[in-house]
Amino acid sequence: MDVTFAGDDPDLLQHAHAIHQGYKSNATAQVTVRLLRDPSIDSGPRHPIATRQGSIHHLAYWGWRALYDEKTGLCEARFGTTTVQALEENRVRTLTRMLLGQYILSQGGLGFHASSMVKNSRGYLFVGPRGAGKTTSVLQWPGDQILGDEHAIIRPTALGFDLHSTPYSGREGTLADGGTAPLAGLFVLAKDTWTWSETLSPAHAFRELIPHVIHVSRAQEDNQKVCDVLDVLVNQYPVHRLYVSLQHPVWPTVERVAA
């Protein structure tokens, strides 16, 4: 998603540009976000909420509200006042993550809480709960690129799906590269004393992957589309449960099963 930011508050614009540094292109912006200050907003839902009426998405979280028009690509977001810089940065980051999720879904793709890497121009996606080994996989990766340690997206192509990086890192703040690669393998991580894998059935893979999809919309049509995209994904690509050991490298097993 190529995004441009506008607005009347230099602090909000600074946060937005800092978060997305290194992920700009020369393409025409697909989404334009107006970041506005509104001191009357001093509360909100404790968890992000997204609803829709037609092409208009209503987004909300504690301290901000936004309207996003899927047809025009215009988003107007209003932020309350805070003196805590980290809180304001998180608000802007949450907004753009939600926008990215809505935009990617409209293009037939999905966002995942996942680590993602590239080797030999092929992309690999790793999901799992906190502590399952996403960061370990990143630190052990012998490949060409680390696309991210916490947030990745897939988008459909004529031949399957591509794996894309995003500007959002996890708690560890692992440095990542902007980029994309054809998706080659999907892995659900678990801990063990040895590194090995098993192939999941499409139905089992669907159940394992869906908790890691980044999606907050309450609209039934959006929820159905998430299921439809994920169903295509698990029937087109084998999904493996990858048991990870800190004492044994990940890549040899990944390379063998994703060949």
Side-chain angles (χ1 to χ4, degrees):
M1 180 179 76
D2 292 297
V3 59
T4 187
F5 297 99
D8 61 0
D9 189 284
D11 291 334
L12 290 171
L13 291 172
Q14 181 179 350
H15 295 328
H17 290 134
I19 291 166
H20 297 84
Q21 184 177 3
Y23 289 82
K24 299 176 182 177
S25 74
N26 296 322
T28 302
Q30 296 151 328
V31 175
T32 299
V33 183
R34 294 187 68 229
L35 302 171
L36 307 174
R37 187 69 71 184
D38 186 345
S40 69
I41 300 176
D42 60 0
S43 62
R46 295 291 183 174
H47 301 282
I49 290 176
T51 60
R52 70 148 63 190
Q53 294 175 311
S55 67
I56 305 299
H57 297 261
H58 299 259
L59 314 177
Y61 195 22
W62 187 268
W64 63 264
R65 308 284 188 279
L67 292 177
Y68 166 53
D69 189 335
E70 191 176 285
K71 288 185 177 179
T72 65
L74 298 177
C75 175
E76 182 172 289
R78 298 183 176 276
F79 291 79
T81 302
T82 177
T83 58
V84 182
Q85 179 176 331
L87 175 59
E88 187 144 274
E89 290 175 348
N90 183 63
R91 289 173 174 174
V92 175
R93 183 181 296 107
T94 302
L95 166 67
T96 57
R97 282 171 61 122
M98 291 175 70
L99 281 176
L100 178 60
Q102 297 291 353
Y103 176 81
I104 292 302
L105 184 61
S106 73
Q107 303 296 304
L110 291 175
F112 286 90
H113 287 294
S115 58
S116 53
M117 282 80 84
V118 177
K119 183 172 176 61
N120 298 329
S121 300
R122 305 176 77 203
Y124 300 87
L125 183 76
F126 300 83
V127 304
R130 187 179 180 186
K134 293 193 294 297
T135 300
T136 299
S137 301
V138 167
L139 295 175
Q140 290 186 357
W141 192 247
D144 309 319
Q145 281 182 292
I146 296 171
L147 297 182
D149 69 342
E150 194 267 345
H151 189 192
I153 58 176
I154 60 163
R155 293 186 65 176
T157 69
L159 300 177
F161 286 88
D162 277 351
L163 179 62
H164 296 255
S165 65
T166 76
Y168 311 108
S169 64
R171 292 179 177 87
E172 294 79 10
T174 304
L175 294 178
D177 302 310
T180 182
L183 181 63
L186 298 103
F187 298 87
V188 179
L189 297 175
K191 284 188 173 180
D192 203 346
T193 56
W194 192 262
T195 298
W196 61 286
S197 71
E198 60 180 344
T199 303
L200 304 179
S201 69
H204 194 176
F206 186 102
R207 293 194 299 270
E208 291 286 340
L209 290 176
I210 200 164
H212 305 287
V213 174
I214 299 175
H215 177 67
V216 297
S217 177
R218 294 181 174 181
Q220 181 58 38
E221 59 189 290
D222 290 339
N223 296 335
Q224 183 60 54
K225 192 163 188 178
V226 167
C227 293
D228 292 343
V229 174
L230 192 57
D231 186 61
V232 171
L233 181 68
V234 299
N235 280 283
Q236 188 167 355
Y237 291 86
V239 178
H240 309 276
R241 188 185 304 281
L242 181 65
Y243 295 90
V244 177
S245 165
L246 293 175
Q247 286 72 42
H248 301 92
V250 171
W251 170 246
T253 301
V254 171
E255 183 178 38
R256 175 175 54 80
V257 301

